[in-house]
Amino acid sequence: QARARSVGATLVLAEEPDYPAQLRMIPAAPRFLFVRGNVIDEDAFAVAIVGARHTTSYGVRAAGQLAGDLGKRGLTIVSGFARGIDSAAHRGALDAGGRTVAVRGSGVDVIYPPENRRLVDRVVTHGAVVSQLPMGAPPLQAHFPLRNRTIAGLSLGTVVVEAAERSGALITAGFSGELGREVFAVPGNVTSGVNRAWIMASN
C-alpha cells in the first residue's frame, strides 16, 4: 500500500463501484485493478486502438489521427502503452483534448518503455494508467496476454492499425471478438509485413 501511495495509485476491487463497468461484464474479469488517475463513468464509451511496436510512419499518423477524431467525439481511447501504435493512440487522444486509459503489462509504478516517462504523467492527468498486476511487477512476456484481454474488456470495440503475425494486437482483436465486441482494421499498404499479417488473420 505504501508503494501504491508513493505514485498516487489506488486499489479498486471488482465488487466496488469505481471498477470499470465494461470490464465487470466480461467472464473472469480481473479481481482488482491498480489505478493511477481516474476511471470515470464516461470511460464505458471506449474504443481500443492497438498495433505494432515496429510500425510505419503511416501507421503512427493513422493511429494518432483516429484517436484524436474519436476523442473529440467523447470516446475514451484505450491502449497498451507500448512503443509504436499504442503510444501514438494515447498521444493522439491527449493532443485532441480527449481521455485515454493505458493498460499496463507491468505494475503501474513501472515505467516501460522508459521513453514514455512524460507520457505517463499526461495519461494520469487526463485519464488513467491501470494494471491487474501487483505494484513493482516487471513487464514480462507472460503478463501481456492478461493485459490484452483487459484492453478488449474495457472497450466497446478494438481497432487494429498495424499488426505483425502472432502480435499482441491480434491477440487483443481475438479477445474482443470472443467477448462479443466489435473488431475493426485500418487499411494499410499491402506490401508491408505489419499489414499482410492482419489481412491473413482476417481471412
Side-chain angles (χ1 to χ4, degrees):
Q1 292 295 338
R3 188 162 185 168
R5 287 194 298 270
S6 71
V7 295
T10 57
L11 177 64
V12 180
L13 303 179
E15 60 269 22
E16 295 180 337
D18 290 340
Y19 192 87
Q22 286 287 355
L23 190 60
R24 183 183 284 116
M25 295 169 60
I26 73 171
R31 293 185 298 172
F32 65 86
L33 294 174
F34 279 102
V35 179
R36 292 180 63 185
N38 293 288
V39 177
I40 62 176
D41 291 345
E42 287 77 8
D43 293 334
F45 300 98
V47 172
I49 299 178
V50 296
R53 287 175 171 82
H54 303 290
T55 185
T56 66
S57 58
Y58 164 79
V60 169
R61 290 195 306 272
Q65 182 174 336
L66 180 60
D69 289 345
L70 294 174
K72 288 176 183 176
R73 288 163 173 77
L75 290 169
T76 297
I77 303 303
V78 179
S79 199
F81 207 71
R83 295 184 175 100
I85 295 300
D86 290 15
S87 294
H90 292 305
R91 289 192 176 95
L94 293 167
D95 291 345
R99 285 182 57 80
T100 189
V101 174
V103 184
R104 307 301 310 280
S106 63
V108 295
D109 57 329
V110 177
I111 306 300
Y112 183 83
E115 64 267 24
N116 277 358
R117 184 172 299 276
R118 290 185 179 179
L119 183 57
V120 168
D121 294 334
R122 294 185 67 194
V123 173
V124 169
T125 302
H126 301 285
V129 174
V130 306
S131 178
Q132 66 202 87
L133 299 167
M135 303 297 295
L140 301 178
Q141 186 174 358
H143 294 164
F144 290 103
L146 298 173
R147 179 204 64 174
N148 296 335
R149 187 171 187 271
T150 297
I151 291 172
L154 285 167
S155 309
L156 297 170
T158 296
V159 182
V160 177
V161 177
E162 291 181 332
E165 194 171 4
R166 298 179 181 176
S167 66
L170 294 187
I171 292 173
T172 304
F175 281 136
S176 191
E178 290 174 10
L179 295 172
R181 311 287 169 86
E182 299 288 343
V183 179
F184 308 91
V186 173
N189 184 344
V190 295
T191 65
S192 170
V194 291
N195 289 308
R196 284 201 305 272
W198 172 247
I199 292 168
M200 289 187 291
S202 300
N203 292 334

